[in-house]
């Protein structure tokens, strides 16, 4: 079995049917180390080693989730972060489809070259401005986010179909979810990985042909293969969406915990006093974190059909209408994936 990343491939032992997340991380880490270019300049070598160090530091996040920040100008345009470096080193194309239609001038002007995070900050700033033109621009930008809460536009879908090469294996980012994507006979397909398909051995791919997430399911040969139990599949998809949403909140909180305002730390403070202040701040944020997690869990269980905030980091809760979660099934092997 070959896990195709680029040349050379990552080789897995023969007859291996199940691989743990930890084992997979080891294979990827070894690949990054072995793929170091040989004949490069000293500057290129130092740059590669720095990128490799940054990537290895966050490689473990592949087991839980990566935090990437899209830009609305191109299907391969993201804010460059260590998370993106991982894809570069593994030679895996990363795409998204949350694009502004260039023919809609007012939205193009309002969004500009902003990333998602920058656009949210711009909207807040514009709303507080005394300039009516800026207030209007902020409103247009906010409407764009609200109207494209599924994080895929028809212009983006057209650009994706054009950009992805026939037979290419790549990664598609949408609503804090990374999906394996390929193109077969001009049509885009996403690898099916939701929990609801655990018992659907014949369902492998789902077509990506509209922004609402209503694709057609296919087998490994891209022949139509409807699920045998659609209701169970749907409930399983909702459970996956709920888990993605909670994971997104966790990623946001993790980033906030790393952003300590050092300007508020007085000069000349002793190490003991500094340690106490840092511990107090950590305790405060931990308390806030658990409160937000409890509130989010309550929302997931109680709110029916309510979309979550549009975000480059959220889960796919806007893609489909919610139904009441099913009773929890017997816990599966969480850290293993089956090789088909």
């Amino acid at each position: 079995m070959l896990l195709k990343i680029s040349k050379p491939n990552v080789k897995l032992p023969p007859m291996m049917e199940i691989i743990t997340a930890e084992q997979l991380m080891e294979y990827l880490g070894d690949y990054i180390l072995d793929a170091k270019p040989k004949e490069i300049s000293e500057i290129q070598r130092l740059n590669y080693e720095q990128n490799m160090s940054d990537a290895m530091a966050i490689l473990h996040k592949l087991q839980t989730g990566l935090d990437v920040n899209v830009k609305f100008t191109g299907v391969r345009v993201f804010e460059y972060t260590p998370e993106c470096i991982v894809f570069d080193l593994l030679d895996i194309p990363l795409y998204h489809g949350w694009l502004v239609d260039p023919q809609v001038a007012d939205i193009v002007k309002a969004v500009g070259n902003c990333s998602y995070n920058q656009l949210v900050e711009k909207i807040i700033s514009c709303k507080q401005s005394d300039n009516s033109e800026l207030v209007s621009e902020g409103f247009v930008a906010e409407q764009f986010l609200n109207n494209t809460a599924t994080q895929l536009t028809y212009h983006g879908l057209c650009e994706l179909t054009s950009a992805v090469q026939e037979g290419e294996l790549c990664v598609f980012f949408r609503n804090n979810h990374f999906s394996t994507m390929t193109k077969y006979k001009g049509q885009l397909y996403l690898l099916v990985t939701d929990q609801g398909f655990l018992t659907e051995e014949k369902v492998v791919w789902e077509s990506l042909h509209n922004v609402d997430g209503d694709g057609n399911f296919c087998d490994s040969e891209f022949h139509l293969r409807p699920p045998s139990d659609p209701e169970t599949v749907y409930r399983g998809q909702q459970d996956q969406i709920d888990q993605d949403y909670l994971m997104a909140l966790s990623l946001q909180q993790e980033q906030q915990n790393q952003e300590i305002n050092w300007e508020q730390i007085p000069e000349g403070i002793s190490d003991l006093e500094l340690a106490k202040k840092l511990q107090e701040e950590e305790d405060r944020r931990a308390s806030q974190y658990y409160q937000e997690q409890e509130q989010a869990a309550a929302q997931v269980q109680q709110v029916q059909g309510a979309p979550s905030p549009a975000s480059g980091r959220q889960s796919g809760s806007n893609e489909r209408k919610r139904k009441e979660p099913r009773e929890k099934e017997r816990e599966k092997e969480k850290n293993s994936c089956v090789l088909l």
Side-chain angles (χ1 to χ4, degrees):
M1 178 71 183
L2 295 181
L3 176 62
K4 183 174 182 181
I5 294 178
S6 68
K7 298 180 180 179
N9 294 318
V10 172
K11 296 183 179 180
L12 303 181
M15 306 304 293
M16 175 180 280
E17 295 183 355
I18 295 178
I19 183 171
T20 67
E22 290 77 10
Q23 289 174 320
L24 188 57
M25 294 305 103
E26 290 180 7
Y27 279 113
L28 294 179
D30 291 342
Y31 172 84
I32 291 176
L33 293 174
D34 294 340
K36 179 179 177 181
K38 306 300 181 184
E39 299 179 0
I40 56 177
S41 67
E42 180 67 13
I43 294 178
Q44 290 175 322
R45 182 184 66 81
L46 293 174
N47 182 61
Y48 184 89
E49 290 179 351
Q50 182 60 56
N51 288 340
M52 186 169 59
S53 176
D54 293 340
M56 297 296 280
I58 57 96
L59 196 62
H60 66 281
K61 292 184 178 181
L62 288 174
Q63 301 183 53
T64 54
L66 297 179
D67 188 18
V68 298
N69 190 19
V70 305
K71 290 193 172 184
F72 306 96
T73 54
V75 293
R76 295 202 62 181
V77 184
F78 295 81
E79 178 184 355
Y80 200 67
T81 61
E83 284 80 357
C84 292
I85 292 175
V86 171
F87 292 96
D88 287 346
L89 292 180
L90 295 175
D91 195 21
I92 299 175
L94 177 62
Y95 293 92
H96 74 90
W98 202 1
L99 300 188
V100 169
D101 189 334
Q103 297 182 353
V104 186
D106 58 337
I107 298 181
V108 171
K109 179 182 177 182
V111 175
N113 194 40
C114 291
S115 66
Y116 171 79
N117 291 343
Q118 291 170 337
L119 187 60
V120 171
E121 293 173 358
K122 177 179 179 179
I123 291 172
I124 295 173
S125 176
C126 288
K127 282 186 172 182
Q128 298 172 346
S129 175
D130 295 329
N131 187 318
S132 59
E133 184 176 344
L134 289 178
V135 172
S136 175
E137 192 169 297
F139 175 77
V140 171
E142 186 176 36
Q143 284 296 108
F144 166 73
L145 294 184
N146 291 336
N147 294 337
T148 60
T150 61
Q151 298 189 4
L152 177 64
T153 63
Y154 279 107
H155 174 67
L157 185 57
C158 290
E159 290 295 303
L160 273 174
T161 304
S162 175
V164 178
Q165 301 300 308
E166 184 73 16
E168 178 182 5
L169 277 177
C170 53
V171 172
F172 177 59
F173 176 76
R174 181 184 186 186
N175 289 325
N176 200 55
H177 190 76
F178 295 88
S179 301
T180 299
M181 181 168 65
T182 192
K183 186 176 181 180
Y184 178 74
K185 293 186 177 181
Q187 173 66 57
L188 297 177
Y189 292 89
L190 302 178
L191 186 67
V192 173
T193 58
D194 286 343
Q195 292 179 353
F197 292 91
L198 285 174
T199 59
E200 298 285 344
E201 297 182 357
K202 299 297 184 180
V203 177
V204 179
W205 299 99
E206 180 180 8
S207 63
L208 180 65
H209 60 265
N210 63 47
V211 301
D212 299 320
D214 299 324
N216 297 318
F217 296 107
C218 304
D219 60 17
S220 59
E221 301 298 325
F222 300 97
H223 300 142
L224 288 177
R225 177 72 66 170
S228 58
D229 187 356
E231 185 62 26
T232 298
V233 166
Y234 185 87
R235 290 198 303 266
Q237 289 177 313
Q238 305 318 300
D239 285 351
Q240 186 70 54
I241 288 171
D242 295 345
Q243 291 181 16
D244 288 345
Y245 181 66
L246 294 177
M247 178 58 67
L249 293 179
S250 177
L251 289 173
Q252 289 177 328
Q253 186 63 36
E254 179 181 339
Q255 183 184 44
Q256 292 172 4
N257 288 342
Q258 297 173 353
E259 298 173 353
I260 298 176
N261 189 356
W262 294 100
E263 295 180 356
Q264 296 180 358
I265 304 297
E267 296 183 6
I269 188 173
S270 68
D271 291 344
L272 179 59
E273 291 174 324
L274 176 58
K276 287 182 178 179
K277 285 186 175 292
L278 291 177
Q279 186 59 53
E280 290 173 357
E281 179 66 13
E282 181 66 21
D283 292 342
R284 182 188 68 80
R285 287 178 171 174
S287 176
Q288 179 183 354
Y289 169 74
Y290 288 117
Q291 290 177 4
E292 291 177 352
Q293 289 288 74
E294 291 174 357
Q295 293 172 359
Q299 273 190 329
V300 165
Q301 295 176 358
Q302 297 175 7
V303 178
Q304 302 300 316
S308 59
S311 167
R313 302 170 180 173
Q314 68 183 37
S315 72
S317 56
N318 288 309
E319 291 186 305
R320 303 176 177 91
K321 294 182 180 179
R322 293 184 180 274
K323 290 187 177 181
E324 292 186 7
R326 60 175 176 174
E327 295 181 0
K328 298 300 179 182
E329 296 180 347
R330 181 170 55 86
E331 185 175 3
K332 304 294 182 180
E333 294 182 3
K334 295 183 178 179
N335 294 324
S336 299
C337 49
V338 179
L339 302 179
L340 300 176

